[in-house]
Amino acid sequence: MNTQLVLLAFLMFLVTYPSRALGLLAPAMDRLPRRALDYLQLVGPAILAALAAVNVMVVATDSGPRFHVGLEWLAVGACLAIVAWRRNLFLGLLAAVAIAVVGRAAGAA
């Protein structure tokens, strides 16, 4: 395993989880405006979504990174559509994983 990945995971922990736990750690959080609370709740998922987007849209090649459109886009799109339709993240993720597994088994990815 690459030690840089361990460092990256640790940095992600330092940025993501404290922002999500802010409501538990600060006793006066309930006095903040509702808009601020909504924003703070979405910081962690936004960071994780940005990291995931890079893994879907960019492929590292010998000549450098390049833009990529492939099976992953279909999986992410299906996940977003199912989550918006059913309001269930688990079903969306399950569909995305199923699309990726079936597509890779068929040789499409």
Side-chain angles (χ1 to χ4, degrees), residues 8-85:
L8 178 62
F10 182 69
L11 288 173
M12 288 171 46
F13 168 80
L14 288 178
V15 172
T16 303
Y17 291 104
S19 67
R20 299 285 293 163
L22 192 59
L24 298 172
L25 300 175
M29 284 294 290
D30 57 342
R31 290 190 228 155
L32 283 174
R34 182 71 193 154
R35 190 173 179 119
L37 290 173
D38 290 343
Y39 173 80
L40 289 173
Q41 282 186 325
L42 295 176
V43 168
I47 291 170
L48 293 175
L51 292 170
V54 170
N55 288 322
V56 169
M57 296 189 309
V58 178
V59 173
T61 62
D62 292 338
S63 60
R66 67 176 177 84
F67 187 72
H68 168 72
V69 176
L71 180 69
E72 297 87 358
W73 284 70
L74 176 65
V76 170
C79 180
L80 290 173
I82 290 172
V83 170
W85 174 48

Side-chain angles (χ1 to χ4, degrees), residues 79 89-99:
C79 180
L89 179 60
F90 179 72
L91 289 178
L93 291 174
L94 190 65
V97 169
I99 290 170

